[in-house]
Amino acid sequence: MFSSRKEKKLAKATVSGITKSGYLTKHATSGLNWKKRYFVLNGNTLTYFPDHRHTDTPKGDVLLTEDATLENFSTPEFPFGFCISTQFVKLKMAARDDDERTSWTNSLRLVIADLVNSMRGYLYKSGRFLEAKQVRKFFMLHSDCITYHQDLHKTSAIQGMRMFSGRTTVEPDGEKSFIVRTNLKDGKFWKLKADTPHERDRWVANIKDTVSKLGMLEVDFQNTAVDDLTSESLHNGFLSTRPKNGTVEWEERYFVLTDSKLYQFEDDSSISPQQVFILSPNCSVFETKLQEHSFEFVTNSRVLHVQGDNPEVTTGWIKKLREASKNSKALEEDPLLLAAKKQKAIFYDVIFETKKPLGLVLERSGDWALVKLANQETTHVSIGSALTKVNGEDVVLADYQSTIQRLTAWQPPLSLGFRLAPEKRGWLTKQGRGRKSKRKNWKPRYFVLAEGRLSYFSSDGPDAVLKGVIHLMGSAVSLVHRSETSQYFCFKVVSGITGIIMQGMTVDEMMDWASAIYHAISVANGGGYLLDAERERLALLEAEKSKEDEGAQATKDLEEKKRLELIAAKEAKDAAEREEIARIEAEKAEKAGREEAAKKARLLEEEERKKALEAKAREEEALKVTKAAEVVVEDINTELAVMELEKEKKEEEANGGGGE
């Protein structure tokens, strides 16, 4: 465990920085023995631990450098070994097979190749109170923060960190110094000093470049006052919120809704928000029974419980929040969203041949109709499934009432299409609390994701004891910083006023489970990002239909132009023949000495020649027009081919990465 609260607070590692993890056998640096260790390739550092359940205290680490080299070796005992060498250390490891060794060495080479433009090195940091007191530390620039360490041999132990945001600034100060301001609520900054002006300039330029790539985060709006949002506000007013400490009394707070964010203030004159929620199409709103007129707002990672003074206030907020979420843009930088889009979706159809009770109970989630109860033996419909089609007609984007109306007074045969609630099974480690203390413990649990629920058991056998269930409607899932758990590869699910934290063995296992749950929550919450993908897919279909109509008209125009081209060609040919006949007649008249007749014949020949030239010009023009029309048709066909590929891609996204 961490030796101090400060170390625990600073032991943060961004999930996106972990590129590979797993077990390898490591050669001891101070002996001949080999031991199995759990390795994590995180950013610029290769760290190893006793095992995957104890990643709070590393056994050692290797700081990768751009001149690091990799070399494979083989011994009778370890046929799949490889060695990494830097100017500071040499480490030998062995994989269980050649594929695993290749995977590790390829991942390491990619990281090493990216180190050419990396920033790390020794800087002097001014003391908190005495600027004259400076300490020399080893600093590392990451994708979202800057950290410092005791030295380059202990980069897994973070002594200090400043997280970046879109408002972070860095500016030179003096000849070799620079100041990093994160512009968060605490207003703190670091004053750092390099060995040379050139090195200082490199640090400043690289930090600026890193900040420019971050995008806007929730913390970037902490300096926003209520008065600053007057022109942007879609809805505002007081609501009561459920306190985090679970006390009975709910606290009144002032909320402002814009087209992309929901701000929570202490009151209507506050100059800084207490919380900022980023809107996305995956956000959901549900009425709850925690209080009278209460409801919950679910984002990608958090759940907000609020209460209106009366039914009208609650209904107004629910309507506005749903509209704003629906019209908002997806958070493309969200790693779970990107991973969830690759999840496979399963669709199935059920036909009711005779008129009788359907044996289904549907419930509303957003505008989707979900199967709450079903006689699975007679209906073959799975609980948690989402209704997608009624008699072949798509209802994914239809409102709930119109969907239910289609089922009213139905007549056989009735064909219903469903989207199966995502399913997954396997072992994870779950964080818990001791009953008699606040000490957190970790236990292996067998998890089952199915029917819109996440259940966990004591084992995977027939005598397994159910330990808990989370209903995914109204839930949210997010990745967990190491600072919260002291462990890697953690994620949490928040549902109502409860939540659990789980841990995978590797970053891949964590992402597989978290993205599957993200996908399942989107189905349980009435579509989420799936609705956005479906709208894009239908818009593309509409554009394709328009382009097909345009292509059909262009083809029809081409046929007409070809017809006119043939007419022009025939007219040109006839005119040339008439010119030739007139020339022959003129020559005959001249040979016969009939001057008057020859003169008339020559005039006629000249007239026919002009007509022939005009006809030829019309033929050439018709040919140009036809060729231009052919190009138009060809371009439209090319655009249609591109649209077809894009349509297939959107259909996969709308299906969650594929379908069966």
Side-chain angles (χ1 to χ4, degrees):
M1 295 300 293
F2 292 93
S3 60
S4 69
R5 292 181 62 188
K6 179 181 178 182
E7 288 183 5
K8 183 175 181 180
K9 180 179 179 182
L10 295 175
K12 296 182 178 180
T14 55
V15 173
S16 59
I18 301 174
T19 54
K20 189 166 179 60
S21 60
Y23 282 96
L24 293 169
T25 304
K26 172 190 165 292
H27 180 248
T29 56
S30 59
L32 300 177
N33 62 319
W34 293 73
K35 289 186 178 180
K36 189 177 182 181
R37 296 298 186 210
Y38 188 72
F39 282 79
V40 174
L41 180 57
N42 184 12
N44 306 329
T45 305
L46 180 64
T47 308
Y48 52 94
F49 304 87
D51 55 58
H52 72 279
R53 290 192 178 93
H54 299 88
T55 56
D56 51 349
T57 305
K59 300 291 290 185
D61 55 41
V62 177
L63 177 64
L64 300 176
T65 57
E66 58 186 274
D67 59 352
T69 60
L70 292 166
E71 183 179 356
N72 291 347
F73 68 85
S74 179
T75 67
E77 188 177 2
F78 300 104
F80 307 108
F82 62 97
C83 177
I84 181 168
S85 301
T86 73
Q87 56 182 310
F88 310 111
V89 70
K90 185 174 184 178
L91 187 66
K92 289 184 177 181
M93 295 154 285
R96 67 174 180 270
D97 54 41
D98 188 54
D99 288 341
E100 185 180 62
R101 175 172 65 179
T102 301
S103 177
W104 270 103
T105 53
N106 286 344
S107 296
L108 285 164
R109 286 192 175 95
L110 287 173
V111 171
I112 292 170
D114 286 339
L115 294 178
V116 177
N117 297 319
S118 65
M119 282 301 301
R120 71 272 288 279
Y122 286 97
L123 294 170
Y124 292 93
K125 179 179 178 295
S126 297
R128 181 180 297 182
F129 304 107
L130 298 176
E131 186 174 329
K133 182 180 178 182
Q134 295 183 334
V135 290
R136 191 168 185 260
K137 298 292 184 180
F138 188 78
F139 283 78
M140 296 177 64
L141 179 62
H142 306 273
S143 62
D144 58 357
C145 65
I146 182 173
T147 60
Y148 67 83
H149 316 260
Q150 181 176 330
D151 55 48
L152 60 85
H153 300 292
K154 297 181 179 180
T155 54
S156 62
I158 303 173
Q159 293 187 332
M161 169 186 287
R162 297 305 290 174
M163 297 296 297
F164 294 151
S165 75
R167 295 178 182 266
T168 295
T169 62
V170 56
E171 55 190 22
D173 183 65
E175 183 181 3
K176 302 176 185 178
S177 301
F178 60 99
I179 296 176
V180 179
R181 301 180 188 274
T182 50
N183 280 345
L184 303 183
K185 279 186 174 181
D186 56 18
K188 295 179 181 178
F189 64 89
W190 276 355
K191 183 172 182 179
L192 308 174
K193 181 180 178 182
D195 289 331
T196 66
H198 174 69
E199 185 181 0
R200 187 274 309 274
D201 292 342
R202 282 192 62 216
W203 275 102
V204 171
N206 277 273
I207 293 175
K208 285 183 177 179
D209 183 60
T210 299
V211 171
S212 69
K213 296 175 182 177
L214 276 179
M216 298 302 281
L217 309 174
E218 290 184 8
V219 295
D220 295 315
F221 306 99
Q222 294 296 339
N223 294 330
T224 305
V226 172
D227 292 342
D228 297 333
L229 300 172
T230 303
S231 60
E232 301 178 47
S233 176
L234 300 177
H235 200 62
N236 58 73
F238 283 96
L239 293 169
S240 296
T241 64
R242 181 181 181 274
K244 292 183 179 180
N245 58 14
T247 56
V248 177
E249 290 296 326
W250 286 40
E251 302 168 342
E252 190 176 63
R253 293 291 182 261
Y254 190 76
F255 289 84
V256 178
L257 175 67
T258 69
D259 59 358
S260 60
K261 291 171 282 293
L262 175 66
Y263 295 83
Q264 175 185 318
F265 297 91
E266 184 175 359
D267 53 46
D268 57 359
S269 61
S270 297
I271 60 173
S272 179
Q274 295 176 323
Q275 294 191 88
V276 182
F277 300 85
I278 305 296
L279 271 59
S280 77
N282 216 39
C283 294
S284 304
V285 190
F286 298 92
E287 294 185 55
T288 65
K289 297 181 179 180
L290 294 176
Q291 295 282 345
E292 190 177 15
H293 318 312
S294 65
F295 63 97
E296 63 180 2
F297 178 57
V298 184
T299 71
N300 288 342
S301 59
R302 293 188 288 171
V303 177
L304 172 68
H305 293 278
V306 286
Q307 173 193 23
D309 287 339
N310 53 61
E312 290 74 22
V313 171
T314 296
T315 301
W317 271 104
I318 291 176
K319 180 180 178 181
K320 290 294 184 179
L321 282 167
R322 284 176 175 167
E323 289 176 354
S325 298
K326 178 181 178 180
N327 297 327
S328 64
K329 295 182 179 180
L331 302 175
E332 294 298 337
E333 299 299 322
D334 183 356
L336 284 185
L337 172 60
L338 297 176
K341 286 183 176 181
K342 299 177 183 178
Q343 290 285 320
K344 179 178 290 186
I346 298 177
F347 298 88
Y348 62 96
D349 296 318
V350 176
I351 298 178
F352 297 85
E353 300 284 1
T354 58
K355 181 71 174 180
K356 61 180 182 179
L358 293 178
L360 302 175
V361 176
L362 301 177
E363 65 177 332
R364 180 173 184 169
S365 181
D367 275 323
W368 276 17
L370 302 183
V371 180
K372 183 178 182 180
L373 298 172
N375 187 331
Q376 299 187 36
E377 291 185 2
T378 60
T379 64
H380 306 291
V381 176
S382 298
I383 294 174
S385 298
L387 183 62
T388 58
K389 291 184 179 181
V390 177
N391 287 329
E393 190 170 349
D394 203 316
V395 296
V396 173
L397 296 180
D399 64 87
Y400 178 78
Q401 293 301 333
S402 66
T403 298
I404 296 302
Q405 192 171 4
R406 297 171 198 265
L407 299 176
T408 304
W410 65 274
Q411 295 297 322
L414 173 66
S415 174
L416 298 181
F418 293 94
R419 181 189 195 111
L420 185 70
E423 298 180 349
K424 189 174 177 64
R425 298 168 182 265
W427 287 93
L428 292 168
T429 305
K430 174 187 169 292
Q431 185 191 70
R433 285 183 180 272
R435 293 184 177 180
K436 296 182 179 180
S437 69
K438 294 184 178 180
R439 184 177 61 84
K440 296 178 181 179
N441 55 75
W442 295 83
K443 291 183 179 180
R445 293 289 182 237
Y446 188 74
F447 282 80
V448 176
L449 174 66
E451 298 184 344
R453 300 189 298 269
L454 180 65
S455 308
Y456 50 98
F457 302 82
S458 59
S459 68
D460 58 351
D463 299 327
V465 177
L466 178 65
K467 306 298 289 187
V469 178
I470 289 184
H471 294 271
L472 298 182
M473 183 183 293
S475 298
V477 60
S478 62
L479 304 179
V480 177
H481 262 220
R482 191 183 172 202
S483 58
E484 287 189 42
T485 62
S486 306
Q487 303 290 334
Y488 285 110
F489 321 131
C490 294
F491 60 99
K492 65 180 176 181
V493 174
V494 179
S495 179
I497 59 176
T498 64
I500 61 172
I501 295 179
M502 296 148 283
Q503 179 192 29
M505 183 179 293
T506 66
V507 63
D508 292 333
E509 186 175 63
M510 173 194 69
M511 290 301 295
D512 285 345
W513 268 100
S515 60
I517 295 173
Y518 190 104
H519 181 200
I521 287 175
S522 295
V523 175
N525 285 349
Y529 74 94
L530 301 173
L531 295 177
D532 205 33
E534 178 69 5
R535 292 186 193 98
E536 291 181 11
R537 187 185 69 86
L538 293 180
L540 187 60
L541 285 175
E542 188 175 332
E544 184 181 35
K545 177 63 169 60
S546 177
K547 186 60 67 174
E548 286 175 348
D549 293 342
E550 184 182 345
Q553 184 60 47
T555 301
K556 184 177 179 181
D557 292 344
L558 175 60
E559 292 173 354
E560 175 64 14
K561 288 174 173 57
K562 285 183 176 180
R563 187 183 70 81
L564 295 176
E565 179 190 347
L566 291 175
I567 293 174
K570 185 177 184 306
E571 290 178 351
K573 181 180 178 183
D574 292 345
E577 290 176 353
R578 289 194 299 272
E579 178 191 358
E580 181 64 16
I581 292 172
R583 184 186 65 76
I584 293 173
E585 290 296 328
E587 289 179 354
K588 287 180 179 180
E590 288 174 350
K591 288 181 180 180
R594 294 183 283 113
E595 293 183 4
E596 189 65 28
K599 185 177 180 181
K600 289 182 179 181
R602 289 298 180 188
L603 290 174
L604 180 60
E605 177 189 3
E606 184 64 25
E607 185 178 343
E608 292 298 337
R609 182 180 294 111
K610 290 180 180 180
K611 291 180 179 180
L613 290 172
E614 291 173 356
K616 186 65 176 176
R618 288 195 297 273
E619 179 188 15
E620 292 176 352
E621 181 62 25
L623 181 61
K624 290 180 181 178
V625 171
T626 300
K627 287 187 178 297
E630 288 175 343
V631 170
V632 171
V633 172
E634 184 178 345
D635 288 345
I636 291 176
N637 288 336
T638 300
E639 290 181 40
L640 284 171
V642 173
M643 283 183 167
E644 183 64 27
L645 294 175
E646 187 68 18
K647 182 180 71 173
E648 293 176 1
K649 178 182 177 182
K650 293 299 181 185
E651 285 178 344
E652 287 187 1
E653 290 182 359
N655 296 340
E660 289 185 358

